[in-house]
Amino acid sequence: MPEKIIISFDDEEEQPPQKPDAEPIPIEKILPIDSYPEGSKNRDKFFRSDFEFPPDKEKSFYIRNSVELKDRFLNSILETSRHIILSSVTGSIYIIDKNTLSVDEKFNFKNESFEKTGIVLNDVAYINSPEKIYKISDLSADEVYSTPKGFYIWCDMNYDDKLIFIEYNPESKKANFHGFAGSISFALNSMPTGGIAVSDSGYAFIAGDEIYIIGRNNNTVNKFRLNFFPGGNLFYSAGKIFFDKNSEEIYFWENDKIRYSGIKSQFMNSMGTNGKYIFTGNMNGWNAYSFTGNKIFSQDANSPCMIRAISDNIICVSEDCGMLLHNMNRLTESEIIYINGESAFDMIVSVLISNRAIYSLTESGTLAVIDNNKINLKL
């Protein structure tokens, strides 16, 4: 290869070296995500998020934006990497921009009602009505499943390599379970309540006064009579399936045995965990317990409090139309945010802790995005 020849002229004024072009500002790569009705497939209300409680008194939480959808919602918020997914009792599915809260798409399905919560897998949403499942992808909607005649989807959806859900026929008292090992039919005297928790032992749900655990690899149906009626709260953590007795005490299933956890919280309406503590909401406040049953924190209130969302940094507790935000690293430190809904009776029904904000939804459709960087001016 010939050498490169450089020609220069002595009388030419030497030019200063050119600065290289500035590197473009890197744009964060947006990766598709999964989203579950109760935080995770364990139904523990735990969200994996780096969103922090304000680190000092110079900053605080505030409502960055809100929108009133004027619809009715009873289920949970879902998210993709770019959108919030909501489904209403009146048969509408909303695709809402996370930053602007503008409705990028809205699907209206006649004669449908969405009261249970679907799931998001790799940015693709699956939303279930009592009789159908719709796939939401790239701002389009397609029906992908319809139940057999007389059967209804009675629970939130879950996922474990395959979509997991239960169909129930109230007349024949039969259930169809769809899981990792395929589908199985069996007798079920009562309709399932709540949802299905994925555990190392299989798929757990409650029906009547019995807890069912379906084997993951073989669809074996194991049921355990509780001799009491559970309140419907159920989650899996630390190798145990936790549930409440008569909305007062927490029991757990482990190694084919039912045991008492030592936790008693009267008028319990909700519970969840971050893997370190168990949190319970009740008619007069909320509490935190160790897994051995010791109470480590208690917050009294004049109205019912519900555990809505938990992360490593924050716990979100709804109280009427207000939301208590506690520092998980110092539970005594908290702030309260009021969500102005349609009326004073417009209660919060769902909270989601995303990676960069918290989203809250009221029953009448007020969706609010809460940020943590409001600057508090000192006068």
Side-chain angles (χ1 to χ4, degrees):
M1 180 176 181
E3 295 182 355
K4 184 177 180 181
I5 300 175
I6 301 176
I7 301 175
S8 63
F9 299 91
D10 294 338
D11 57 348
E12 184 176 322
E13 186 176 342
E14 186 175 353
Q15 298 293 324
Q18 297 292 319
K19 294 183 179 180
D21 294 336
E23 293 184 5
I25 299 174
I27 300 175
E28 183 179 0
K29 186 176 181 180
I30 298 177
L31 299 175
I33 62 175
D34 299 339
S35 182
Y36 295 87
E38 295 287 340
S40 76
K41 60 179 61 180
N42 303 139
R43 294 188 64 82
D44 50 11
K45 294 183 171 64
F46 183 77
F47 294 81
R48 297 189 181 279
S49 168
D50 295 328
F51 190 71
E52 295 182 339
F53 195 93
D56 51 55
K57 294 182 179 180
E58 296 180 356
K59 293 184 179 181
S60 62
F61 291 107
Y62 74 106
I63 297 177
R64 172 157 51 89
N65 198 1
S66 65
V67 62
E68 293 186 6
L69 301 173
K70 298 185 184 300
D71 207 334
R72 186 162 180 251
F73 298 87
L74 296 177
N75 52 21
S76 301
I77 304 170
L78 295 173
E79 68 171 337
T80 69
S81 58
R82 297 178 183 271
H83 292 99
I84 292 296
I85 310 293
L86 304 177
S87 52
S88 74
V89 174
T90 61
S92 294
I93 299 176
Y94 296 81
I95 315 297
I96 300 172
D97 185 278
K98 276 186 172 180
N99 296 317
T100 65
L101 296 191
S102 61
V103 179
D104 286 352
E105 189 58 85
K106 177 183 176 182
F107 303 102
N108 298 305
F109 297 96
K110 292 182 179 180
N111 303 319
E112 289 284 28
S113 181
F114 301 105
E115 298 185 22
K116 302 300 182 181
T117 308
I119 197 168
V120 172
L121 306 170
N122 204 36
D123 266 5
V124 177
Y126 296 88
I127 307 297
N128 58 296
S129 70
E131 296 180 80
K132 295 180 180 179
I133 298 176
Y134 296 91
K135 178 181 177 181
I136 312 296
S137 178
D138 297 326
L139 301 182
S140 63
D142 299 291
E143 179 186 327
V144 294
Y145 183 80
S146 181
T147 63
K149 186 177 180 180
F151 282 83
Y152 304 93
I153 302 174
W154 286 94
C155 65
D156 296 339
M157 300 193 74
N158 211 324
Y159 181 77
D160 185 28
D161 290 336
K162 290 184 179 181
L163 288 175
I164 300 170
F165 60 99
I166 303 173
E167 302 167 328
Y168 183 64
N169 188 320
E171 293 186 5
S172 64
K173 304 288 186 182
K174 291 184 179 179
N176 296 330
F177 179 85
H178 304 273
F180 173 78
S183 302
I184 184 174
S185 298
F186 54 94
L188 192 64
N189 291 327
S190 302
M191 69 177 181
T193 57
I196 306 165
V198 176
S199 76
D200 290 344
S201 302
Y203 310 114
F205 66 91
I206 290 173
D209 63 346
E210 295 177 316
I211 181 170
Y212 285 76
I213 301 174
I214 311 296
R216 181 180 188 273
N217 296 317
N218 53 17
N219 272 346
T220 302
V221 179
N222 299 297
K223 65 178 180 178
F224 303 87
R225 186 170 295 278
L226 303 176
N227 296 320
F228 57 80
F229 279 94
N233 296 297
L234 173 81
F235 68 81
Y236 171 75
S237 182
K240 303 171 183 177
I241 299 169
F242 291 86
F243 52 91
D244 67 300
K245 171 187 176 182
N246 301 328
S247 300
E248 288 187 349
E249 298 173 325
I250 295 180
Y251 283 71
F252 64 86
W253 178 92
E254 184 183 30
N255 297 328
D256 293 337
K257 292 183 179 180
I258 305 293
R259 294 184 172 91
Y260 176 46
S261 70
I263 297 174
K264 186 172 184 177
S265 180
Q266 198 171 21
F267 306 119
M268 193 187 320
N269 56 28
S270 56
M271 63 186 193
T273 183
N274 62 349
K276 298 178 181 178
Y277 307 112
I278 293 175
F279 305 94
T280 64
N282 57 64
M283 297 299 292
N284 301 295
W286 69 277
N287 304 310
Y289 300 86
S290 68
F291 271 71
T292 55
N294 297 317
K295 184 186 291 187
I296 62 170
F297 181 81
S298 180
Q299 176 75 55
D300 294 330
N302 295 322
S303 56
C305 291
M306 294 193 69
I307 307 299
R308 293 294 183 184
I310 303 166
S311 73
D312 285 331
N313 302 312
I314 300 167
I315 179 169
C316 302
V317 182
S318 67
E319 181 185 6
D320 292 337
C321 59
M323 184 161 60
L324 297 168
L325 301 159
H326 284 254
N327 187 345
M328 188 63 76
N329 300 308
R330 193 183 300 113
L331 289 175
T332 55
E333 185 178 358
S334 66
E335 296 185 25
I336 186 168
I337 294 289
Y338 290 99
I339 311 298
N340 296 320
E342 287 283 300
S343 69
F345 303 100
D346 189 16
M347 306 304 176
I348 295 172
V349 296
S350 179
V351 176
L352 181 147
I353 305 176
S354 189
N355 214 37
R356 292 193 172 184
I358 296 173
Y359 295 88
S360 174
L361 178 68
T362 68
E363 184 175 345
S364 69
T366 298
L367 176 67
V369 54
I370 299 167
D371 214 330
N372 62 355
N373 58 2
K374 178 184 177 182
I375 298 176
N376 298 321
L377 298 177
K378 295 181 180 180
L379 300 178

